[in-house]
Amino acid sequence: MTPDRLSGILAALADPTRRAILARLAEGETSVTELAEPFDMSMPAVSKHLKVLERAGLIARGRAAQWRPCRLEAGPLREVSDWLDHYRRFWDESLDRLEDYLQALQKGDPDATPN
């Protein structure tokens, strides 16, 4: 994944409204009107959020007569998860070292030192 693509995905995910839209789409395809219902904003504002999500590749919009369905495209979320895995390993290793240190302290090991 290119850094610019990752930046676009993360920027799209930074907004709570867009995250809520994605959460709703995780339940299944729905119309723009239905997506807009829980939000206290105009349809043009919702459309702007959808455009950001679409540019990031997180949703796809279709057209079926008068119905404009939206659906989740989860591939970019996998890309973000893969990128985060490196940092997840770092924190897991750090927490494992902390756990070892705390166990040594609890056992009364006078030579216990944090790693």
Side-chain angles (χ1 to χ4, degrees):
M1 167 188 326
T2 65
D4 290 340
R5 178 168 161 83
L6 180 61
S7 295
I9 296 167
L10 293 173
L13 293 172
D15 186 274
T17 300
R18 292 193 284 268
R19 291 192 306 272
I21 289 170
L22 291 177
R24 170 54 190 90
L25 290 174
E27 298 172 8
E29 187 174 88
T30 190
S31 71
V32 173
T33 304
E34 290 171 348
L35 283 173
E37 285 176 4
F39 304 108
D40 186 24
M41 63 179 67
S42 67
M43 284 301 289
V46 171
S47 290
K48 286 181 181 181
H49 283 295
L50 294 175
K51 285 178 186 174
V52 171
L53 292 169
E54 193 171 25
R55 276 194 307 270
L58 292 163
I59 68 166
R61 294 198 276 182
R63 176 177 281 184
Q66 297 299 316
W67 194 52
R68 305 287 188 260
C70 292
R71 70 179 178 280
L72 177 67
E73 295 289 334
L77 295 174
R78 168 62 68 190
E79 295 174 33
V80 171
S81 177
D82 291 346
W83 179 77
L84 287 170
D85 275 343
H86 169 75
Y87 300 99
R88 188 174 298 120
R89 286 189 295 273
F90 167 78
W91 283 109
D92 286 345
E93 290 169 5
S94 296
L95 291 173
D96 288 345
R97 287 192 304 273
L98 178 60
E99 182 180 11
D100 293 343
Y101 173 67
L102 292 175
Q103 286 177 354
L105 285 177
Q106 287 175 344
K107 291 178 183 175
D109 183 352
D111 297 324
T113 58
N115 294 333

